[in-house]
Amino acid sequence: RSRSPDRAIVTNRNVFYFLVMGNPVIVDAVRTPLGRRRGWLAGIHPAVLLGFAQRTVLERAGVDPELVEQVIGGCVTQAGEQSNDMVRRAWLHAGLPQHTGGTALDAQCGSGQQAIHLVNDLVRAGSIEVGIACGVESMSRIPLGGNVPEGLGDPRPDDWTIDMPNQFEAADRIARNRGLTREDLDAFGLASQAKARIAVDEGRFKREIAPIEAPVLDDEGNPTGATRVVDTDQGLRDT
């Protein structure tokens, strides 16, 4: 079977690009809704969540899955359900072609972004014609730090001297260095939530969210046997 040399696609965490002679062009973007800890999406295995997004964006873009040569996805906590190249496992579980290569990468908070760069560069270099960049993190099921279990040692060498505070300390430093007060940040947060409420009420996110059927869990996190269709982000606060 011959393939047209001027077609390719790439995605970021669920974003696809159409390529003409090695030049990336975005053709579609798909994501699942965003959940919260022990929230609406907590009952879905992360490979199922990611595979659903991978298949959905192909269907929406009208791209033949047989054309996809590489899938690269970001995942910070690669342990348990998110271990063992879960990006490729998600692809295969979704019933997509076995000949497609899959790579999971950890660049911490920039993991999904790095996946985009790598697929983009593979296409520009002519190594592939079609690729997908994606990402997933299900912190309800695999908590942050879950890939460093007790007894296996600290990932940092004993003579580690690099100043790398946790996110809370880092945020406090940034605020002090930039002269940002708690009042400034509270006002910014409130304004952001107000804008998000308008966007949700006006349906501005509907075009990028793929509704997904999720198990309903009880207060202990056990499946109740019921399901719900989740089509909106859960993080919006009542402000």
Side-chain angles (χ1 to χ4, degrees), residues 115-128:
I116 302 171
H117 295 317
L118 291 177
V119 173
N120 174 77
D121 291 346
L122 284 172
V123 173
R124 287 188 178 277
S127 298
I128 65 172

Side-chain angles (χ1 to χ4, degrees), residues 64-92:
D64 183 356
E66 294 288 336
L67 296 176
V68 182
E69 298 165 87
Q70 276 286 341
V71 180
I72 300 178
C75 180
V76 174
T77 311
Q78 296 184 35
E81 295 176 344
Q82 294 181 163
S83 66
N84 293 281
D85 195 357
M86 62 92 60
V87 172
R88 177 165 162 80
R89 289 189 291 111
W91 177 265
L92 296 177

Side-chain angles (χ1 to χ4, degrees), residues 27-84:
V27 294
D28 209 339
V30 176
R31 66 176 177 90
T32 66
L34 301 176
R36 296 185 66 178
R37 187 179 183 187
R38 301 191 185 96
W40 296 338
L41 302 179
I44 305 179
H45 191 291
V48 174
L49 200 64
L50 181 58
F52 169 79
Q54 292 168 342
R55 173 171 284 282
T56 300
V57 77
L58 286 167
E59 293 172 348
R60 283 186 29 160
V63 173
D64 183 356
E66 294 288 336
L67 296 176
V68 182
E69 298 165 87
Q70 276 286 341
V71 180
I72 300 178
C75 180
V76 174
T77 311
Q78 296 184 35
E81 295 176 344
Q82 294 181 163
S83 66
N84 293 281

Side-chain angles (χ1 to χ4, degrees), residues 6 79 136:
D6 61 351
V136 67

